[in-house]
Amino acid sequence: MLNDAQLLRYSRQILLAEWDIDAQQKLSSSRVLMIGMGGLGCPAAMSLARAGLGFLRIVDFDTVDESNLQRQTLFNAQDIGQPKVLAAKNALNLINPWIEIDIVQDRVDAGNLPTLLTNIDLVLDGSDNFATRDAVNKACVDAKIPLLSAAAIGFEGQMTLILPDHACYRCLFQDAPIEDARRCADTGVLATTTAVMGAMQAHTALLFLGMGVTSLSERLLLWDGLGLNQRQIRYQKDPECPVCRAKNT
Ligand SMILES: [Zn+2]
């Protein structure tokens, strides 16, 4: 399945007792949808491409802006004005010629999510607002597709894994506003906060896709980039959750 060049490229991780050739082959046949190619999406996509992911679909409506270059690690000054999905695809294919990349330049909403989710094994949400994260959660619950949702702002990051028939994003954030009060555009984010959380999202995706690790299900990981602390908070399925309740009846 893997050719000689691929076996050489991935040899340092195939050497791991926990990550053997089976895990590598699982990753090479895995299909990921990435929502947003920003501060989280760029480092997450880069690590997954380097590690040997088979298929990546990326969706983002935006073009590269000067203010993106501080943290969006797949872009350079020559990309300014280009669609992010196109610049990202070009950068990722230079890193790894074997990864198949499907790009969609569009805003994500309830209307196009079912199509975007077609034949996807895991969704990585790196969008910057609650409305999108909520819509992605609902679509993943409906389609029974695992979702790894992450967010970063200022010096703080958070991430959780939402599995089919388990507690969902709305169970966790029951009374969230329609629009986030805090967004990068308004309050700022340190370059390394998104780099840490994007790498952590890719890391958790590798554990899930290659090794079947689901330890972040029904747990919210919180990373404090000022105190350099990390902790997890457990949460449970809300029997009254308007998103996932109907799925259990
Ligand atoms: Zn729920």
Side-chain angles (χ1 to χ4, degrees), residues 64-73 75-77 79-80:
V64 179
D65 180 79
E66 179 82 45
S67 67
N68 298 150
L69 301 185
Q70 164 251 12
R71 67 195 175 285
Q72 298 184 16
T73 52
F75 309 135
N76 60 55
D79 296 321
I80 291 172

Side-chain angles (χ1 to χ4, degrees), residues 10-191:
Y10 309 130
S11 58
R12 294 304 185 277
Q13 62 195 34
I14 295 172
L15 274 172
L16 294 164
E18 298 84 352
W19 183 279
D20 53 15
I21 191 76
D22 285 346
Q24 191 64 47
Q25 286 181 338
K26 280 181 190 163
L27 184 63
S28 75
S29 62
S30 291
R31 301 170 61 91
V32 166
L33 168 65
M34 192 159 284
I35 310 281
M37 194 42 64
L40 294 171
C42 283
M46 189 180 71
S47 285
L48 290 177
R50 287 189 188 278
L53 177 70
F55 174 91
L56 181 65
R57 176 175 296 143
I58 52 185
V59 53
D60 196 302
F61 72 93
D62 214 354
T63 54
V64 179
D65 180 79
E66 179 82 45
S67 67
N68 298 150
L69 301 185
Q70 164 251 12
R71 67 195 175 285
Q72 298 184 16
T73 52
L74 286 176
F75 309 135
N76 60 55
Q78 292 179 329
D79 296 321
I80 291 172
Q82 293 291 312
K84 284 187 177 181
V85 290
L86 190 59
K89 177 182 163 69
N90 291 338
L92 292 168
N93 274 143
L94 282 174
I95 291 167
N96 188 328
W98 300 294
I99 185 171
E100 185 185 345
I101 298 174
D102 178 29
I103 59 174
V104 181
Q105 190 181 6
D106 202 355
R107 289 180 187 274
V108 171
D109 59 33
N112 60 12
L113 272 165
T115 304
L116 291 168
L117 287 168
T118 303
N119 294 326
I120 290 298
D121 300 308
L122 176 67
V123 177
L124 267 62
D125 188 354
S127 61
D128 67 351
N129 64 89
F130 177 79
T132 301
R133 285 198 283 271
D134 191 48
V136 170
N137 172 62
K138 185 173 188 319
C140 287
V141 168
D142 288 347
K144 291 188 179 288
I145 294 175
L147 165 63
L148 185 55
S149 187
I153 198 123
F155 296 84
E156 299 167 15
Q158 62 186 39
M159 179 171 62
T160 188
L161 177 64
I162 293 148
L163 297 177
D165 301 320
H166 288 66
C168 79
Y169 189 80
R170 187 71 80 83
C171 294
L172 174 59
F173 295 109
Q174 289 148 354
D175 300 315
I178 296 302
E179 289 294 333
D180 280 11
R182 301 172 66 205
R183 295 179 61 181
C184 290
D186 306 323
T187 59
V189 62
L190 199 69

